[in-house]
Amino acid sequence: EVQLVESGGALVQPGRSLRLSCAASGFTFDDYAMHWVRQAPGKGLEWVSGITWNSAGQVYADSVKGRFTISRDNAKSSLYLEMESLRAEDTALYFCAKAAGDSYFDYWGQGTLVTVSS
Amino acid sequence: EIVMTQSPATLSVSPGERATLSCRASQSVSSNVAWYQQKRGQAPRFLMYGGSNRATGIPARFSGSGSGTEFTLTISSLQSEDFAVYFCQQYNQWPRTFGQGTKVEIK
């Protein structure tokens, strides 16, 4: 059974940093690209970032480019999102998602909540 | 970026009836559209890819159609567990973008 478990969400002040983690199990992690998708409270889904299976390529939404860094550790079956210079508009539930095909998402974690507020 | 527009925002349907959800892309995305279902407090659930291909384990009452800029998700006979929010997503171009969602509620 595929499982994705996010952690690291917290209440942080604007301008601060935070690192999210996603522990994957139930599939061969290093065969697949992985992504982060977020959902602001009561809002829709926003794709944030993705990384290839071998970390050779990373892509970012314009809203986070230059502030967020995606990475992975295939030996630990883990995905990460390093978030810097956090803003109030980054407040959201952050989902880790496994990529299928050409970057649609066939499995999702339950999310970890990031709240940016003073 | 490609804007995905879903309509209607809310669809009120009685159990057993058909629901038809629309998704329009601001430019052609070929058949590169996926659909997801999200219930309150839960993660999205993958339903469909390639516009019309059901994901593993998705009941046959869910069907998809469309290509180019116009896409449709149809639920042929709504069951109680189908009342949820549905999102479309294009994966033809970066950034990947989602529609704003259609809420299917009980009439």
Side-chain angles (χ1 to χ4, degrees):
Chain A
E1 178 194 6
V2 172
Q3 284 199 318
L4 299 169
V5 180
E6 303 92 338
S7 60
L11 169 62
V12 295
Q13 294 179 328
R16 302 300 289 259
S17 300
L18 199 62
R19 188 194 200 206
L20 305 184
S21 299
C22 170
S25 61
F27 65 103
T28 304
F29 184 71
D30 53 12
D31 276 352
Y32 296 94
M34 296 292 295
H35 294 258
W36 290 97
V37 178
R38 68 184 180 184
Q39 186 170 37
K43 302 296 185 182
L45 300 169
E46 180 189 15
W47 172 81
V48 173
S49 181
I51 187 168
T52 57
W53 67 273
N54 60 356
S55 302
Q58 300 90 35
V59 285
Y60 298 93
D62 284 348
S63 58
V64 307
K65 199 173 294 184
R67 300 187 299 121
F68 289 13
T69 303
I70 191 171
S71 62
R72 65 190 293 162
D73 184 338
N74 287 345
K76 295 182 178 180
S77 296
S78 293
L79 176 72
Y80 306 101
L81 186 67
E82 190 76 43
M83 305 185 293
E84 300 177 343
S85 303
L86 282 162
R87 306 167 180 167
E89 54 265 36
D90 295 320
T91 294
L93 187 63
Y94 283 72
F95 295 103
C96 164
K98 172 183 169 291
D102 222 353
S103 294
Y104 47 88
F105 313 113
D106 58 352
Y107 290 95
W108 300 62
Q110 287 302 306
T112 188
L113 182 62
V114 174
T115 304
V116 184
S117 175
S118 54
Chain B
E1 82 177 35
I2 296 175
V3 176
M4 304 296 283
T5 303
Q6 292 186 243
S7 61
T10 303
L11 188 60
S12 298
V13 185
S14 299
E17 289 189 341
R18 174 187 297 260
T20 302
L21 290 66
S22 295
C23 176
R24 173 177 291 177
S26 59
Q27 63 188 86
S28 178
V29 294
S30 186
S31 295
N32 297 321
V33 165
W35 289 91
Y36 305 88
Q37 175 195 70
Q38 188 179 34
K39 298 180 181 178
R40 183 180 295 273
Q42 296 186 16
R45 175 193 184 196
F46 174 50
L47 294 179
M48 200 155 304
Y49 65 99
S52 60
N53 302 291
R54 279 189 303 276
T56 302
I58 301 304
R61 64 180 181 272
F62 290 88
S63 63
S65 63
S67 65
T69 61
E70 301 284 344
F71 298 86
T72 300
L73 176 70
T74 301
I75 312 171
S76 60
S77 176
L78 271 159
Q79 307 297 302
S80 57
E81 61 266 30
D82 301 334
F83 292 96
V85 180
Y86 292 82
F87 295 95
C88 60
Q89 177 230 331
Q90 66 81 20
Y91 52 96
N92 196 61
Q93 281 188 21
W94 297 102
R96 304 316 193 211
T97 49
F98 293 87
Q100 80 281 17
T102 290
K103 180 180 180 181
V104 178
E105 64 176 23
I106 300 174
K107 186 174 182 180

